[in-house]
Amino acid sequence: MAQLSSGVTTFHAATGHIEYDSVQFSAPPIADALSTCASPLAVVEHLGVQCQGRATAVHTSLRDTLVVSLGSGGQVVGQLDGRSFRRDLQRGNIGFVPRGMDIEIEYPASSGSLMLFLPDALLPGVMAEMGITGIPAMASAQNERLRRLISLVDNELRAPGFGSELMISGVLRAIASMLVRGNQPVDPGICSRVYMSQAKLHRVIAFIEAGLDQPLSLEDLAKIADLSPFHFSRVFKLTTGETPYHFVCSRRLARAQRLLTDSKMELAELALSCGFASQSHFTAAFSKAFGTSPDRYRRARARS
């Protein structure tokens, strides 16, 4: 809790994500952090504030931020970069606040939102790769394609799969491309004559095989290939027929099957060997992929 020079009392969250915790609310906020504090992507589910009626939030954005409305009914009004706006509150509406921009809003106190604070280098990197400058703020608007992409990130954070890091990284780049491109045409020459030799492809695959027990990011793989992440994703799929995400998933699934069949490794250790932080996440992902739990899979293989 803090007090402004005007004497108005404000409240702050304590999620561990400074991007959200620095927001000044008119009442104590209720929130869950969906990402870890070490993650370059910070995701917080804002569940409303502890008061009746309407609430206010004042903030200078520390990162490029996407806000997805989780409620409907009423209106959100405020100022974004000094410009006034008023919108009907609809579930799925999306706002975008560029880094360093001031925002002040008033909204129904019980209304929630999903807030994605994007990695610092994401939008500048995609802008440079696509030869485009300038991204306008967006107060609140319907964008079904963008909403679906954000939903993929949300779902992956809540239930990580075998290629979680790459999946999220790839979707974030798709989100960034949509934000950067807007209605501007992309220079067709920007992606021409991009090529990955077989030698570089083999180095990338070797890096993946050696790091299946570690987080693997799109940026890491692109660096091995001496390409930007934007170009790497396209070229890798053209070369292998699979996206980096699906390629890593298939390798981790194969390792999990092999270890369950050929070793007596405890599931907690096996989960770490397949790149998972916990046995529960591994069990959920394996069950989703094969329709059976790791324990049942192991017992079935032992009987065969």
Side-chain angles (χ1 to χ4, degrees):
M1 185 172 68
Q3 199 169 66
L4 301 175
S5 57
S6 62
V8 177
T9 300
T10 61
F11 299 82
H12 296 269
T15 65
H17 289 303
I18 185 62
E19 301 85 359
Y20 177 80
D21 295 345
S22 62
V23 179
Q24 301 174 72
F25 292 99
S26 58
I30 308 167
D32 286 332
L34 302 184
S35 57
T36 66
C37 292
S39 172
L41 169 69
V43 181
V44 175
E45 185 175 14
H46 173 75
L47 301 170
V49 297
Q50 298 177 37
C51 74
Q52 301 296 316
R54 293 182 68 80
T56 60
V58 180
H59 187 43
T60 298
S61 183
L62 300 182
R63 289 203 210 174
D64 296 311
T65 305
L66 284 164
V67 183
V68 184
S69 175
L70 299 179
S72 297
Q75 287 191 326
V76 55
V77 299
Q79 288 198 333
L80 180 56
D81 198 29
R83 297 183 179 182
S84 298
F85 68 89
R86 180 184 296 270
R87 299 284 191 278
D88 290 332
L89 194 60
Q90 296 183 41
R91 185 177 183 85
N93 270 17
I94 298 172
F96 172 65
V97 186
R99 181 177 180 177
M101 190 169 285
D102 295 328
I103 181 169
E104 181 175 351
I105 61 170
E106 180 185 305
Y107 61 99
S110 61
S111 180
S113 59
L114 184 70
M115 307 182 71
L116 286 79
F117 303 94
L118 302 178
D120 289 331
L122 178 64
L123 287 181
V126 173
M127 288 169 66
E129 292 166 2
M130 297 178 71
I132 292 174
T133 59
I135 310 175
M138 183 168 61
S140 181
Q142 285 286 328
N143 188 318
E144 184 59 24
R145 289 179 61 198
L146 192 54
R147 188 200 64 77
R148 286 199 298 266
L149 289 173
I150 293 172
S151 180
L152 288 174
V153 174
D154 182 24
N155 292 339
E156 191 68 20
L157 286 172
R158 296 176 190 271
F162 274 85
S164 189
E165 308 87 354
L166 278 173
M167 188 273 191
I168 290 175
S169 181
V171 174
L172 284 179
R173 295 193 66 79
I175 289 171
S177 294
M178 288 189 65
L179 290 172
V180 170
R181 186 170 62 246
N183 295 322
Q184 302 181 65
V186 179
D187 179 359
I190 200 75
C191 299
S192 63
R193 295 184 298 277
V194 179
Y195 171 75
M196 180 164 56
S197 68
Q198 285 298 309
K200 287 183 178 179
L201 176 62
H202 291 157
R203 286 203 297 270
V204 170
I205 293 174
F207 181 81
I208 290 171
E209 293 288 357
L212 289 177
D213 60 340
Q214 301 294 324
L216 290 169
S217 72
L218 199 60
E219 289 74 17
D220 290 336
L221 302 186
K223 188 175 181 179
I224 297 297
D226 294 324
L227 292 171
S228 71
F230 177 74
H231 289 133
F232 173 77
S233 294
R234 294 167 180 257
V235 174
F236 187 89
K237 185 174 182 179
L238 285 173
T239 307
T240 66
E242 293 184 286
T243 65
Y245 163 65
H246 286 106
F247 188 88
V248 170
C249 277
S250 66
R251 290 297 197 266
R252 283 183 167 152
L253 285 169
R255 171 176 281 191
Q257 290 177 299
R258 185 171 64 255
L259 290 174
L260 287 168
T261 302
D262 299 337
S263 80
K264 296 182 179 180
M265 188 181 293
E266 295 291 335
L267 287 184
E269 183 183 356
L270 195 150
L272 294 176
S273 296
C274 294
F276 284 86
S278 70
Q279 179 180 334
S280 61
H281 280 165
F282 166 70
T283 298
F286 188 93
S287 300
K288 182 179 179 180
F290 293 107
T292 187
S293 70
D295 266 333
R296 289 177 179 172
Y297 181 89
R298 174 174 270 171
R299 290 197 296 270
R301 296 297 290 178
R303 290 195 299 269
S304 61

